[in-house]
Amino acid sequence: MPDTPPRPSVLFVCVHNAGRSQMAAAFLTHLAGDRVQVRSAGSAPADTVNPAVVEALAEIGIDISAEVPKVLTVEAVRASDVVITMGCGDTCPVFPGKRYLDWRLPDPAGQGVDAVRPIRDEIERRVRALLDEIAPTPRA
């Protein structure tokens, strides 16, 4: 029986871990299942996830109502193969040997669900492309 390759690990980071990074983590978890280890965090986490983000994901069948913003730790960055930042500037620690991507996306903070939907859809598109690259679906 061949050894299974280690699962890639992705960390999504934004300032408050209440919107973009939560959406991206939810999409990757939803699409990849157990093929990818997924984390999200914020450099200055909010108290709760943005309700418009929760609603926008619920519309497409993804429930993140139980998620809470988490603080960004050095350990989370160290444990990740790919670190995707979304507007956290210079607050993300950088380690050699990690792959860093910066996804420039509008911040859904203070926006209604109508404004969040296009951000959600763009995040889904980017997450699907990332997943195809780091953990393609095995061909039967």
Side-chain angles (χ1 to χ4, degrees):
M1 183 166 164
D3 288 338
T4 54
R7 290 187 308 161
S9 176
V10 177
L11 170 64
F12 294 102
V13 182
C14 65
V15 174
H16 299 298
N17 189 223
R20 295 166 289 188
S21 56
Q22 289 281 354
M23 283 192 281
F27 271 120
L28 188 53
T29 300
H30 179 74
L31 296 168
D34 60 2
R35 292 184 294 145
V36 178
Q37 185 177 31
V38 182
R39 295 180 183 86
S40 72
S43 51
D47 293 330
T48 60
V49 174
N50 179 332
V53 167
V54 173
E55 183 180 342
L57 286 175
E59 290 176 350
I60 58 168
I62 298 175
D63 179 8
I64 64 164
S65 60
E67 292 297 324
V68 294
K70 294 168 276 311
V71 70
L72 176 64
T73 63
V74 169
E75 293 76 27
V77 176
R78 260 198 203 114
S80 301
D81 300 311
V82 181
V83 179
I84 298 174
T85 57
M86 302 173 183
C88 70
D90 297 331
T91 60
C92 299
V94 175
F95 293 101
K98 304 291 175 196
R99 179 174 171 205
Y100 290 87
L101 300 171
D102 185 38
W103 289 358
R104 296 188 183 278
L105 296 158
D107 188 347
Q111 305 287 326
V113 73
D114 288 341
V116 172
R117 285 185 193 110
I119 302 167
R120 173 199 68 197
D121 296 344
E122 176 60 16
I123 288 173
E124 180 182 14
R125 186 190 67 73
R126 292 182 189 204
V127 166
R128 285 181 183 279
L130 176 72
L131 182 58
D132 286 346
E133 181 187 328
I134 65 169
T137 305
R139 304 265 183 245

